[in-house]
Amino acid sequence: MWKIGDGTQVNICSDNWVPGGGPLIYSHFLFDELSLSKVSMLINHDGHCWRRDLIELVFNPSTTTSILSIPLSMHGGSDVFYWPGTSDGQYTSKEGYGFLRKLLARDEASSSTTVILAPKFWKKLWASRALPRCKETCWRAISGYLPLKERLFRRRVDVDPSCSFCAAELEDEDHLFLHCPAAKQVWFASQLAVRVDLFSSFKEFWLAAVELDDDDAIATIQATVYALWEARNNICFKQREFVVAGVLRRVSNSMEEAIVRDRDRGPMAALPAKWQKPALGTIKCNFDASFHDRGPSGLGMVARNSDGEVMAAVCSFPITTLSPLLAEVMSMRWTMQLAIDLGFRRVCFETDCLQLFNHWRASREGRSYLSSIIHDCRLLLSAFDSVSVYFVRRTGNTVADFLARNAETYANLVWVEEVPVAAFHLVFSDVMTQLPVGA
Ligand SMILES: [Zn+2]
């Protein structure tokens, strides 16, 4: 796919650049009238943002949402090809091979129904960093051991064999984890942004995933399969509603749980769970994003000094973007810009998103949108005299989390030296936890 930089290389109609496919044009008359050809004509190059009014007039609503959710880099840059399906967007010949294998497997799968998995596919399954329960569910799904309704029905159990999510098709692995509209939404909205309709069976999907040889992607897939299975059970046994954002949150929670578990077992100390005051003269900016698949996201940040006093609190709403991870990295860029505008020179930025923190620390250049926003952030660093980026668990980031979750209510408000009344107790408890025991 094309990743949009300044949009001058990419043709609106004939190139592959809109997530989810397309674009669908609403007004062909306007499209011709304005002689639109390159994507750059849809970008306001002063502010490096999309020309929302124009886009809304020309494209249909789903394409409009997709286009507006593409994050543009502040420095424009040139358009490049990136490889969707890996988090850094890098293409290697290994991945090209995997892609071809996937196409081949699809042809084979359509001619015979069984795909035999070589030992290395099982090895990869168990070697991943995902939680044991995620690996096991994935193994049961591939081996055909999950008690899915279609299977129970065939064994003469008295159940309705239709899908727990959509009730429109039989509930088997291929449908529940791939072809059901509910599953498709989850996969596409996940950080992998996978178009699962390319695969005819769940086994084949797993085969292609292993060929990618990307440990992050494999663990994410396993966590997603588990989260879908859990969501299905919640519908069946707890009468809960299916919400895409809820499933994605479970995926990122279990990824973090897995990382924290590894850390706790490994030589590294447990990750900090409480908010800590910054060093004297340094401002700490905590930031967060709330992601909604059915509506725009909100951003929140709070800046505090070495006494724990609030210097500023800011909300931003609405932000449309593709995934929770992209919302987090956009929150980071926004926070860095705010810190510059507020005149902070010695700053430490703190996130509770471990995936973002790991991408930041890995400092490898990629071609994905995530990489280009991280690159924006790195360029902003030169504005500071001293700067660092920390991770804290969610329990230490409650004020920023509150602001992000309530950004819709507060819209784009800025509080100077205070926070909204409803967040007083969170700021207070952050300061209180600093007191030594017995004080
Ligand atoms: Zn379904």
Side-chain angles (χ1 to χ4, degrees), residues 85-87 94-95 123-130 191-192 206 209-223 255 355 364:
T86 56
S87 49
K94 209 173 204 173
E95 277 161 23
K123 217 161 135 188
K124 283 270 180 187
L125 190 151
W126 295 113
S128 105
R129 291 193 280 98
Q191 66 167 115
L192 299 169
W206 176 252
V210 171
E211 291 286 8
L212 281 178
D213 208 20
D214 175 334
D215 293 340
D216 273 343
I218 289 175
T220 308
I221 288 170
Q222 291 176 324
M255 298 285 284
Q355 277 171 286
R364 58 178 175 193

PDB file of all heavy atoms in Angstrom, residues 85-87 94-95 123-130 191-192 206 209-223 255 355 364:
ATOM      1  N   GLY A  85       0.341  -5.128   7.685  1.00  0.00           N
ATOM      2  CA  GLY A  85       0.399  -6.449   8.323  1.00  0.00           C
ATOM      3  C   GLY A  85       1.562  -6.572   9.279  1.00  0.00           C
ATOM      4  O   GLY A  85       1.548  -7.395  10.162  1.00  0.00           O
ATOM      5  N   THR A  86       2.614  -5.744   9.126  1.00  0.00           N
ATOM      6  CA  THR A  86       3.651  -5.696  10.157  1.00  0.00           C
ATOM      7  C   THR A  86       3.594  -4.314  10.775  1.00  0.00           C
ATOM      8  O   THR A  86       3.216  -3.359  10.115  1.00  0.00           O
ATOM      9  CB  THR A  86       5.075  -5.922   9.587  1.00  0.00           C
ATOM     10  OG1 THR A  86       5.304  -4.946   8.563  1.00  0.00           O
ATOM     11  CG2 THR A  86       5.220  -7.296   9.013  1.00  0.00           C
ATOM     12  N   SER A  87       3.998  -4.221  12.053  1.00  0.00           N
ATOM     13  CA  SER A  87       3.800  -2.955  12.741  1.00  0.00           C
ATOM     14  C   SER A  87       4.722  -1.863  12.221  1.00  0.00           C
ATOM     15  O   SER A  87       4.374  -0.696  12.249  1.00  0.00           O
ATOM     16  CB  SER A  87       3.975  -3.143  14.241  1.00  0.00           C
ATOM     17  OG  SER A  87       5.163  -3.855  14.487  1.00  0.00           O
ATOM     18  N   LYS A  94      11.392 -12.132   2.748  1.00  0.00           N
ATOM     19  CA  LYS A  94      10.771 -13.186   3.525  1.00  0.00           C
ATOM     20  C   LYS A  94       9.251 -12.983   3.579  1.00  0.00           C
ATOM     21  O   LYS A  94       8.474 -13.927   3.467  1.00  0.00           O
ATOM     22  CB  LYS A  94      11.319 -13.113   4.946  1.00  0.00           C
ATOM     23  CG  LYS A  94      11.350 -14.431   5.675  1.00  0.00           C
ATOM     24  CD  LYS A  94      12.082 -14.211   6.974  1.00  0.00           C
ATOM     25  CE  LYS A  94      12.669 -15.493   7.508  1.00  0.00           C
ATOM     26  NZ  LYS A  94      13.505 -15.274   8.667  1.00  0.00           N
ATOM     27  N   GLU A  95       8.864 -11.712   3.745  1.00  0.00           N
ATOM     28  CA  GLU A  95       7.441 -11.426   3.806  1.00  0.00           C
ATOM     29  C   GLU A  95       6.778 -11.573   2.451  1.00  0.00           C
ATOM     30  O   GLU A  95       5.640 -11.997   2.343  1.00  0.00           O
ATOM     31  CB  GLU A  95       7.195 -10.031   4.365  1.00  0.00           C
ATOM     32  CG  GLU A  95       7.234 -10.068   5.857  1.00  0.00           C
ATOM     33  CD  GLU A  95       7.445  -8.706   6.450  1.00  0.00           C
ATOM     34  OE1 GLU A  95       7.131  -7.724   5.751  1.00  0.00           O
ATOM     35  OE2 GLU A  95       7.931  -8.635   7.575  1.00  0.00           O
ATOM     36  N   LYS A 123       5.532 -25.027  16.502  1.00  0.00           N
ATOM     37  CA  LYS A 123       6.617 -24.486  17.307  1.00  0.00           C
ATOM     38  C   LYS A 123       6.438 -22.984  17.502  1.00  0.00           C
ATOM     39  O   LYS A 123       6.532 -22.467  18.597  1.00  0.00           O
ATOM     40  CB  LYS A 123       7.945 -24.768  16.598  1.00  0.00           C
ATOM     41  CG  LYS A 123       9.076 -25.108  17.529  1.00  0.00           C
ATOM     42  CD  LYS A 123      10.159 -25.811  16.747  1.00  0.00           C
ATOM     43  CE  LYS A 123      11.524 -25.283  17.077  1.00  0.00           C
ATOM     44  NZ  LYS A 123      12.535 -25.837  16.174  1.00  0.00           N
ATOM     45  N   LYS A 124       6.139 -22.306  16.393  1.00  0.00           N
ATOM     46  CA  LYS A 124       5.927 -20.851  16.455  1.00  0.00           C
ATOM     47  C   LYS A 124       4.748 -20.526  17.365  1.00  0.00           C
ATOM     48  O   LYS A 124       4.749 -19.522  18.057  1.00  0.00           O
ATOM     49  CB  LYS A 124       5.636 -20.314  15.047  1.00  0.00           C
ATOM     50  CG  LYS A 124       6.877 -20.187  14.204  1.00  0.00           C
ATOM     51  CD  LYS A 124       7.494 -18.814  14.393  1.00  0.00           C
ATOM     52  CE  LYS A 124       8.739 -18.701  13.545  1.00  0.00           C
ATOM     53  NZ  LYS A 124       9.460 -17.461  13.824  1.00  0.00           N
ATOM     54  N   LEU A 125       3.744 -21.386  17.303  1.00  0.00           N
ATOM     55  CA  LEU A 125       2.543 -21.145  18.098  1.00  0.00           C
ATOM     56  C   LEU A 125       2.885 -21.124  19.584  1.00  0.00           C
ATOM     57  O   LEU A 125       2.484 -20.242  20.317  1.00  0.00           O
ATOM     58  CB  LEU A 125       1.512 -22.227  17.795  1.00  0.00           C
ATOM     59  CG  LEU A 125       0.096 -22.027  18.347  1.00  0.00           C
ATOM     60  CD1 LEU A 125      -0.902 -22.722  17.431  1.00  0.00           C
ATOM     61  CD2 LEU A 125      -0.074 -22.556  19.760  1.00  0.00           C
ATOM     62  N   TRP A 126       3.670 -22.107  20.022  1.00  0.00           N
ATOM     63  CA  TRP A 126       3.975 -22.201  21.461  1.00  0.00           C
ATOM     64  C   TRP A 126       5.122 -21.291  21.886  1.00  0.00           C
ATOM     65  O   TRP A 126       5.255 -20.983  23.063  1.00  0.00           O
ATOM     66  CB  TRP A 126       4.278 -23.655  21.841  1.00  0.00           C
ATOM     67  CG  TRP A 126       3.091 -24.550  21.674  1.00  0.00           C
ATOM     68  CD1 TRP A 126       2.954 -25.552  20.774  1.00  0.00           C
ATOM     69  CD2 TRP A 126       1.861 -24.499  22.413  1.00  0.00           C
ATOM     70  NE1 TRP A 126       1.716 -26.128  20.898  1.00  0.00           N
ATOM     71  CE2 TRP A 126       1.021 -25.510  21.898  1.00  0.00           C
ATOM     72  CE3 TRP A 126       1.378 -23.702  23.457  1.00  0.00           C
ATOM     73  CZ2 TRP A 126      -0.266 -25.742  22.380  1.00  0.00           C
ATOM     74  CZ3 TRP A 126       0.098 -23.936  23.938  1.00  0.00           C
ATOM     75  CH2 TRP A 126      -0.710 -24.938  23.407  1.00  0.00           C
ATOM     76  N   ALA A 127       5.958 -20.875  20.926  1.00  0.00           N
ATOM     77  CA  ALA A 127       7.120 -20.061  21.299  1.00  0.00           C
ATOM     78  C   ALA A 127       6.767 -18.584  21.467  1.00  0.00           C
ATOM     79  O   ALA A 127       7.570 -17.808  21.946  1.00  0.00           O
ATOM     80  CB  ALA A 127       8.211 -20.212  20.237  1.00  0.00           C
ATOM     81  N   SER A 128       5.568 -18.198  21.093  1.00  0.00           N
ATOM     82  CA  SER A 128       5.255 -16.761  21.064  1.00  0.00           C
ATOM     83  C   SER A 128       5.211 -16.169  22.474  1.00  0.00           C
ATOM     84  O   SER A 128       5.175 -16.888  23.472  1.00  0.00           O
ATOM     85  CB  SER A 128       3.920 -16.534  20.354  1.00  0.00           C
ATOM     86  OG  SER A 128       2.923 -16.242  21.300  1.00  0.00           O
ATOM     87  N   ARG A 129       5.219 -14.828  22.506  1.00  0.00           N
ATOM     88  CA  ARG A 129       5.228 -14.124  23.781  1.00  0.00           C
ATOM     89  C   ARG A 129       3.827 -13.968  24.382  1.00  0.00           C
ATOM     90  O   ARG A 129       3.668 -13.387  25.449  1.00  0.00           O
ATOM     91  CB  ARG A 129       5.833 -12.728  23.602  1.00  0.00           C
ATOM     92  CG  ARG A 129       7.308 -12.729  23.296  1.00  0.00           C
ATOM     93  CD  ARG A 129       7.892 -11.339  23.436  1.00  0.00           C
ATOM     94  NE  ARG A 129       7.630 -10.500  22.279  1.00  0.00           N
ATOM     95  CZ  ARG A 129       6.663  -9.622  22.200  1.00  0.00           C
ATOM     96  NH1 ARG A 129       5.858  -9.430  23.213  1.00  0.00           N
ATOM     97  NH2 ARG A 129       6.516  -8.901  21.114  1.00  0.00           N
ATOM     98  N   ALA A 130       2.802 -14.460  23.661  1.00  0.00           N
ATOM     99  CA  ALA A 130       1.433 -14.280  24.151  1.00  0.00           C
ATOM    100  C   ALA A 130       1.208 -15.061  25.448  1.00  0.00           C
ATOM    101  O   ALA A 130       1.992 -15.946  25.806  1.00  0.00           O
ATOM    102  CB  ALA A 130       0.444 -14.731  23.092  1.00  0.00           C
ATOM    103  N   GLN A 191      -4.073  -3.345  15.363  1.00  0.00           N
ATOM    104  CA  GLN A 191      -2.862  -2.685  14.866  1.00  0.00           C
ATOM    105  C   GLN A 191      -2.301  -3.362  13.625  1.00  0.00           C
ATOM    106  O   GLN A 191      -1.511  -2.799  12.892  1.00  0.00           O
ATOM    107  CB  GLN A 191      -1.801  -2.628  15.953  1.00  0.00           C
ATOM    108  CG  GLN A 191      -1.301  -4.019  16.316  1.00  0.00           C
ATOM    109  CD  GLN A 191      -0.051  -3.936  17.139  1.00  0.00           C
ATOM    110  OE1 GLN A 191      -0.008  -4.323  18.297  1.00  0.00           O
ATOM    111  NE2 GLN A 191       0.996  -3.400  16.548  1.00  0.00           N
ATOM    112  N   LEU A 192      -2.724  -4.619  13.370  1.00  0.00           N
ATOM    113  CA  LEU A 192      -2.236  -5.325  12.188  1.00  0.00           C
ATOM    114  C   LEU A 192      -2.955  -4.865  10.928  1.00  0.00           C
ATOM    115  O   LEU A 192      -2.438  -5.004   9.829  1.00  0.00           O
ATOM    116  CB  LEU A 192      -2.454  -6.827  12.348  1.00  0.00           C
ATOM    117  CG  LEU A 192      -1.732  -7.489  13.514  1.00  0.00           C
ATOM    118  CD1 LEU A 192      -2.240  -8.897  13.703  1.00  0.00           C
ATOM    119  CD2 LEU A 192      -0.240  -7.475  13.282  1.00  0.00           C
ATOM    120  N   TRP A 206      -3.392 -18.709   9.760  1.00  0.00           N
ATOM    121  CA  TRP A 206      -2.303 -18.963  10.701  1.00  0.00           C
ATOM    122  C   TRP A 206      -1.000 -19.252   9.960  1.00  0.00           C
ATOM    123  O   TRP A 206       0.076 -18.764  10.318  1.00  0.00           O
ATOM    124  CB  TRP A 206      -2.674 -20.117  11.642  1.00  0.00           C
ATOM    125  CG  TRP A 206      -1.543 -20.450  12.548  1.00  0.00           C
ATOM    126  CD1 TRP A 206      -0.755 -21.540  12.508  1.00  0.00           C
ATOM    127  CD2 TRP A 206      -1.044 -19.636  13.608  1.00  0.00           C
ATOM    128  NE1 TRP A 206       0.208 -21.477  13.472  1.00  0.00           N
ATOM    129  CE2 TRP A 206       0.061 -20.315  14.164  1.00  0.00           C
ATOM    130  CE3 TRP A 206      -1.415 -18.389  14.137  1.00  0.00           C
ATOM    131  CZ2 TRP A 206       0.797 -19.787  15.222  1.00  0.00           C
ATOM    132  CZ3 TRP A 206      -0.681 -17.871  15.191  1.00  0.00           C
ATOM    133  CH2 TRP A 206       0.403 -18.569  15.731  1.00  0.00           C
ATOM    134  N   ALA A 209       0.451 -16.131   8.757  1.00  0.00           N
ATOM    135  CA  ALA A 209       0.954 -15.333   9.876  1.00  0.00           C
ATOM    136  C   ALA A 209       2.338 -15.827  10.286  1.00  0.00           C
ATOM    137  O   ALA A 209       3.248 -15.037  10.515  1.00  0.00           O
ATOM    138  CB  ALA A 209      -0.017 -15.429  11.050  1.00  0.00           C
ATOM    139  N   VAL A 210       2.505 -17.158  10.340  1.00  0.00           N
ATOM    140  CA  VAL A 210       3.795 -17.718  10.743  1.00  0.00           C
ATOM    141  C   VAL A 210       4.866 -17.388   9.707  1.00  0.00           C
ATOM    142  O   VAL A 210       5.999 -17.081  10.045  1.00  0.00           O
ATOM    143  CB  VAL A 210       3.676 -19.241  10.970  1.00  0.00           C
ATOM    144  CG1 VAL A 210       5.044 -19.864  11.174  1.00  0.00           C
ATOM    145  CG2 VAL A 210       2.789 -19.513  12.177  1.00  0.00           C
ATOM    146  N   GLU A 211       4.480 -17.405   8.441  1.00  0.00           N
ATOM    147  CA  GLU A 211       5.439 -17.094   7.375  1.00  0.00           C
ATOM    148  C   GLU A 211       5.946 -15.658   7.468  1.00  0.00           C
ATOM    149  O   GLU A 211       7.036 -15.344   7.011  1.00  0.00           O
ATOM    150  CB  GLU A 211       4.815 -17.325   5.999  1.00  0.00           C
ATOM    151  CG  GLU A 211       4.546 -18.785   5.670  1.00  0.00           C
ATOM    152  CD  GLU A 211       5.817 -19.571   5.332  1.00  0.00           C
ATOM    153  OE1 GLU A 211       6.912 -19.014   5.498  1.00  0.00           O
ATOM    154  OE2 GLU A 211       5.692 -20.733   4.912  1.00  0.00           O
ATOM    155  N   LEU A 212       5.141 -14.779   8.046  1.00  0.00           N
ATOM    156  CA  LEU A 212       5.584 -13.385   8.200  1.00  0.00           C
ATOM    157  C   LEU A 212       6.806 -13.286   9.103  1.00  0.00           C
ATOM    158  O   LEU A 212       7.590 -12.358   8.999  1.00  0.00           O
ATOM    159  CB  LEU A 212       4.468 -12.530   8.807  1.00  0.00           C
ATOM    160  CG  LEU A 212       3.368 -12.069   7.869  1.00  0.00           C
ATOM    161  CD1 LEU A 212       2.336 -11.280   8.657  1.00  0.00           C
ATOM    162  CD2 LEU A 212       3.939 -11.195   6.760  1.00  0.00           C
ATOM    163  N   ASP A 213       6.921 -14.263  10.040  1.00  0.00           N
ATOM    164  CA  ASP A 213       8.063 -14.299  10.931  1.00  0.00           C
ATOM    165  C   ASP A 213       8.211 -13.011  11.729  1.00  0.00           C
ATOM    166  O   ASP A 213       9.295 -12.489  11.901  1.00  0.00           O
ATOM    167  CB  ASP A 213       9.339 -14.566  10.113  1.00  0.00           C
ATOM    168  CG  ASP A 213      10.380 -15.271  10.968  1.00  0.00           C
ATOM    169  OD1 ASP A 213       9.993 -15.860  11.992  1.00  0.00           O
ATOM    170  OD2 ASP A 213      11.562 -15.206  10.620  1.00  0.00           O
ATOM    171  N   ASP A 214       7.091 -12.489  12.190  1.00  0.00           N
ATOM    172  CA  ASP A 214       7.087 -11.259  12.987  1.00  0.00           C
ATOM    173  C   ASP A 214       6.495 -11.623  14.350  1.00  0.00           C
ATOM    174  O   ASP A 214       5.313 -11.903  14.469  1.00  0.00           O
ATOM    175  CB  ASP A 214       6.229 -10.206  12.247  1.00  0.00           C
ATOM    176  CG  ASP A 214       6.055  -8.922  13.038  1.00  0.00           C
ATOM    177  OD1 ASP A 214       6.141  -8.955  14.284  1.00  0.00           O
ATOM    178  OD2 ASP A 214       5.819  -7.882  12.411  1.00  0.00           O
ATOM    179  N   ASP A 215       7.352 -11.678  15.389  1.00  0.00           N
ATOM    180  CA  ASP A 215       6.903 -12.155  16.702  1.00  0.00           C
ATOM    181  C   ASP A 215       5.773 -11.303  17.264  1.00  0.00           C
ATOM    182  O   ASP A 215       4.852 -11.823  17.882  1.00  0.00           O
ATOM    183  CB  ASP A 215       8.079 -12.181  17.687  1.00  0.00           C
ATOM    184  CG  ASP A 215       9.094 -13.235  17.292  1.00  0.00           C
ATOM    185  OD1 ASP A 215       8.714 -14.150  16.527  1.00  0.00           O
ATOM    186  OD2 ASP A 215      10.248 -13.152  17.735  1.00  0.00           O
ATOM    187  N   ASP A 216       5.852  -9.984  17.047  1.00  0.00           N
ATOM    188  CA  ASP A 216       4.793  -9.090  17.520  1.00  0.00           C
ATOM    189  C   ASP A 216       3.464  -9.470  16.898  1.00  0.00           C
ATOM    190  O   ASP A 216       2.445  -9.561  17.570  1.00  0.00           O
ATOM    191  CB  ASP A 216       5.096  -7.636  17.108  1.00  0.00           C
ATOM    192  CG  ASP A 216       5.962  -6.951  18.149  1.00  0.00           C
ATOM    193  OD1 ASP A 216       6.019  -7.480  19.277  1.00  0.00           O
ATOM    194  OD2 ASP A 216       6.563  -5.915  17.824  1.00  0.00           O
ATOM    195  N   ALA A 217       3.503  -9.684  15.572  1.00  0.00           N
ATOM    196  CA  ALA A 217       2.269  -9.983  14.848  1.00  0.00           C
ATOM    197  C   ALA A 217       1.674 -11.310  15.313  1.00  0.00           C
ATOM    198  O   ALA A 217       0.471 -11.416  15.530  1.00  0.00           O
ATOM    199  CB  ALA A 217       2.541 -10.013  13.345  1.00  0.00           C
ATOM    200  N   ILE A 218       2.524 -12.325  15.517  1.00  0.00           N
ATOM    201  CA  ILE A 218       2.026 -13.638  15.938  1.00  0.00           C
ATOM    202  C   ILE A 218       1.371 -13.548  17.316  1.00  0.00           C
ATOM    203  O   ILE A 218       0.270 -14.057  17.526  1.00  0.00           O
ATOM    204  CB  ILE A 218       3.169 -14.682  15.930  1.00  0.00           C
ATOM    205  CG1 ILE A 218       3.534 -14.990  14.468  1.00  0.00           C
ATOM    206  CG2 ILE A 218       2.770 -15.953  16.662  1.00  0.00           C
ATOM    207  CD1 ILE A 218       4.716 -15.899  14.290  1.00  0.00           C
ATOM    208  N   ALA A 219       2.026 -12.849  18.245  1.00  0.00           N
ATOM    209  CA  ALA A 219       1.452 -12.706  19.588  1.00  0.00           C
ATOM    210  C   ALA A 219       0.141 -11.915  19.532  1.00  0.00           C
ATOM    211  O   ALA A 219      -0.816 -12.243  20.228  1.00  0.00           O
ATOM    212  CB  ALA A 219       2.459 -12.030  20.518  1.00  0.00           C
ATOM    213  N   THR A 220       0.098 -10.893  18.671  1.00  0.00           N
ATOM    214  CA  THR A 220      -1.126 -10.094  18.553  1.00  0.00           C
ATOM    215  C   THR A 220      -2.268 -10.941  18.005  1.00  0.00           C
ATOM    216  O   THR A 220      -3.405 -10.844  18.470  1.00  0.00           O
ATOM    217  CB  THR A 220      -0.899  -8.877  17.631  1.00  0.00           C
ATOM    218  OG1 THR A 220       0.254  -8.177  18.070  1.00  0.00           O
ATOM    219  CG2 THR A 220      -2.094  -7.934  17.653  1.00  0.00           C
ATOM    220  N   ILE A 221      -1.957 -11.788  17.023  1.00  0.00           N
ATOM    221  CA  ILE A 221      -2.999 -12.646  16.447  1.00  0.00           C
ATOM    222  C   ILE A 221      -3.548 -13.598  17.513  1.00  0.00           C
ATOM    223  O   ILE A 221      -4.756 -13.760  17.659  1.00  0.00           O
ATOM    224  CB  ILE A 221      -2.433 -13.437  15.242  1.00  0.00           C
ATOM    225  CG1 ILE A 221      -2.232 -12.483  14.066  1.00  0.00           C
ATOM    226  CG2 ILE A 221      -3.363 -14.591  14.855  1.00  0.00           C
ATOM    227  CD1 ILE A 221      -1.459 -13.073  12.916  1.00  0.00           C
ATOM    228  N   GLN A 222      -2.648 -14.190  18.304  1.00  0.00           N
ATOM    229  CA  GLN A 222      -3.103 -15.115  19.337  1.00  0.00           C
ATOM    230  C   GLN A 222      -3.969 -14.403  20.375  1.00  0.00           C
ATOM    231  O   GLN A 222      -4.997 -14.923  20.790  1.00  0.00           O
ATOM    232  CB  GLN A 222      -1.903 -15.789  20.000  1.00  0.00           C
ATOM    233  CG  GLN A 222      -1.203 -16.745  19.028  1.00  0.00           C
ATOM    234  CD  GLN A 222       0.039 -17.363  19.627  1.00  0.00           C
ATOM    235  OE1 GLN A 222       0.760 -16.707  20.374  1.00  0.00           O
ATOM    236  NE2 GLN A 222       0.293 -18.608  19.295  1.00  0.00           N
ATOM    237  N   ALA A 223      -3.546 -13.207  20.759  1.00  0.00           N
ATOM    238  CA  ALA A 223      -4.327 -12.450  21.738  1.00  0.00           C
ATOM    239  C   ALA A 223      -5.690 -12.073  21.158  1.00  0.00           C
ATOM    240  O   ALA A 223      -6.698 -12.043  21.869  1.00  0.00           O
ATOM    241  CB  ALA A 223      -3.558 -11.198  22.162  1.00  0.00           C
ATOM    242  N   MET A 255      -1.747  -8.365  25.922  1.00  0.00           N
ATOM    243  CA  MET A 255      -0.368  -8.187  25.439  1.00  0.00           C
ATOM    244  C   MET A 255       0.487  -7.577  26.551  1.00  0.00           C
ATOM    245  O   MET A 255       1.633  -7.974  26.760  1.00  0.00           O
ATOM    246  CB  MET A 255      -0.327  -7.243  24.232  1.00  0.00           C
ATOM    247  CG  MET A 255      -1.076  -7.733  23.022  1.00  0.00           C
ATOM    248  SD  MET A 255      -0.200  -9.027  22.174  1.00  0.00           S
ATOM    249  CE  MET A 255       1.055  -8.054  21.354  1.00  0.00           C
ATOM    250  N   GLN A 355       3.082  -0.936  24.292  1.00  0.00           N
ATOM    251  CA  GLN A 355       3.414  -1.137  22.888  1.00  0.00           C
ATOM    252  C   GLN A 355       4.065   0.117  22.300  1.00  0.00           C
ATOM    253  O   GLN A 355       5.052   0.049  21.580  1.00  0.00           O
ATOM    254  CB  GLN A 355       2.159  -1.459  22.085  1.00  0.00           C
ATOM    255  CG  GLN A 355       1.763  -2.906  22.150  1.00  0.00           C
ATOM    256  CD  GLN A 355       0.394  -3.091  21.520  1.00  0.00           C
ATOM    257  OE1 GLN A 355      -0.622  -2.733  22.096  1.00  0.00           O
ATOM    258  NE2 GLN A 355       0.384  -3.620  20.321  1.00  0.00           N
ATOM    259  N   ARG A 364      13.817   1.692  15.657  1.00  0.00           N
ATOM    260  CA  ARG A 364      14.097   1.286  14.282  1.00  0.00           C
ATOM    261  C   ARG A 364      13.166   2.072  13.372  1.00  0.00           C
ATOM    262  O   ARG A 364      12.011   2.335  13.707  1.00  0.00           O
ATOM    263  CB  ARG A 364      13.907  -0.223  14.099  1.00  0.00           C
ATOM    264  CG  ARG A 364      12.515  -0.673  14.459  1.00  0.00           C
ATOM    265  CD  ARG A 364      12.299  -2.147  14.245  1.00  0.00           C
ATOM    266  NE  ARG A 364      10.962  -2.440  14.750  1.00  0.00           N
ATOM    267  CZ  ARG A 364      10.486  -3.645  14.964  1.00  0.00           C
ATOM    268  NH1 ARG A 364      11.211  -4.685  14.714  1.00  0.00           N
ATOM    269  NH2 ARG A 364       9.270  -3.819  15.418  1.00  0.00           N
TER     270      ARG A 364
END
